[in-house]
Amino acid sequence: MLWLVLFTLQALCSSVAHAMQHYPAAWGHYDVCKSQIYTEEGLAWDYMACQPEATDMTQYLRVALDPPNITCGDPPETYCALENPYMCNNECDATTEELAHPPELMFDFEGRNPTTFWQSTSWKKYPKPLQVNITLSWNKTIELTDDIILTFESGRPEQMVLEKSLDYGRTWTPYQFYATDCLDAFTMEPKTVNDLTQRTLLDIICTEDYSRGYVWKNDKTVRFEIKDRFAVFAGPRLHNMASLYGQLDTTKNLRDFFTITDLRIRLLKPATGATMVDENNLSRYFYAISDIKVQGRCKCNLHANSCVFDKGKLGCECEHNTTGPDCSRCKRHYHGRAWSVGSYLPIPKGTANICVPSNHGPVHRANASSLGVANRNQARVCDNAMLRCQNGGTCHHHQRCHCSPGFTGVLCERARCQGPGECDDQLSGRASFHHPPISRQLTLTLVVLPLLIVSLC
């Protein structure tokens, strides 16, 4: 029988070792808020910094256009191709589903044929500027994790500004300028993100890389490069995330640079494909966007590993005794020390900086060795129902049982050794104490056995 147990443990160890090969990458995501550890007092929680997984944030936004009547189709209009002014067979009609191009088509599923896209009215009022503001709002603080990508169905704009807000659209600051001629459009020297250094990373630049005239369909994207900025600290393949996390921890301006509540795309001049505008064929000039990608995560101040979308609103599912949409304050009765954002450091677990009960000092633990089992469902070590502390013990904050004198164990289920005789009795199975019910023993086994396996491996 023993060989069977050992064989099973060996197989489980092999599986755990294989899974652990992927942990370094997962560690960088900080997706676990706490794990269970074994201390001298029994099973307890070890808290870690955590954040939600990155996802496509366009599924949660609201979009607004200014002017509001800038979308084509009312009245119906026929458009000509930029590259061929005599090919005028594209029609926009808001009253016909197949011919309408409303704003929500900037965020629908791509890959369909024909392509779906939003489209503006044409430049009928030239030489008055054809300008459009597209505002994306989340009503929640968002941390960007990948490049912002705009895919144009029309030619890419010859002048454009990407702006951000950190206060829900009350104030705006530029993220980046785009132009075919940066000096002429914005009196700025043209640069690329590759020109930036650690010292100049937060500089606002104007780039000419994404504003050429008509280009082929597979090269109609405009980017705001997030990962290239990460690479300034983390290296070309983001292999040194410790350096980036260290900077994010210690430099608030850097954290804020990648944090938004709203984005605004200011389209200032459409593609013309030439130095002069053909005033006899203004239906060639317009904006059309087929896709917008914004990859990011809810900002939860490293106090939550999930964010929910409920009743049209995003909110962090806060842990570490924190609360609020961004987990930016301590829960009631947990003001034992001032609230603090979690820390990415030390890698790989960071520092949770949990809120502690009022009238209590900082939490100190005895020498504890983490057994590495994550619990994302906030299972409790003890409560007042299924996992009641035994032998007169009391449950403390659902984290550990405070045992009566003479008893020990996770649920105070074992008699404490008082002398050689009692220890011998306990080891031989003759100790005189009440065993927990079978259902509770099973619960303990399900909690402790995985910990034991990882420890043995």
Side-chain angles (χ1 to χ4, degrees), residues 161-162 164 173-178 188-207 223-226 228-230 232-233 251 253-254 256-258:
V161 184
L162 182 66
K164 61 168 286 189
T173 56
Y175 242 164
Q176 192 151 293
F177 295 86
Y178 302 81
M188 299 174 69
E189 291 284 349
K191 289 185 179 180
T192 70
V193 68
N194 295 324
D195 296 324
L196 298 175
T197 65
Q198 292 186 5
R199 186 179 296 273
T200 61
L201 184 62
L202 304 185
D203 286 0
I204 309 303
I205 65 172
C206 178
T207 180
R223 288 178 175 263
F224 180 68
E225 304 95 337
I226 295 291
D228 284 347
R229 286 171 168 80
F230 287 165
V232 172
F233 290 107
T251 311
N253 286 346
L254 186 63
D256 288 348
F257 185 80
F258 298 111

Side-chain angles (χ1 to χ4, degrees), residues 90 114 121 135 179 189 236 266 297 398 421 444 447:
N90 297 317
T121 57
T135 303
E189 291 284 349
R266 295 182 57 207
R297 62 168 58 92
H398 304 296
L444 284 171
V447 171

Side-chain angles (χ1 to χ4, degrees), residues 284-304:
R284 300 170 60 192
Y285 311 120
F286 55 90
Y287 305 107
I289 299 176
S290 62
D291 190 43
I292 297 179
K293 283 185 168 54
V294 182
Q295 192 81 1
R297 62 168 58 92
C298 292
K299 179 181 179 179
C300 301
N301 287 299
L302 295 177
H303 289 311

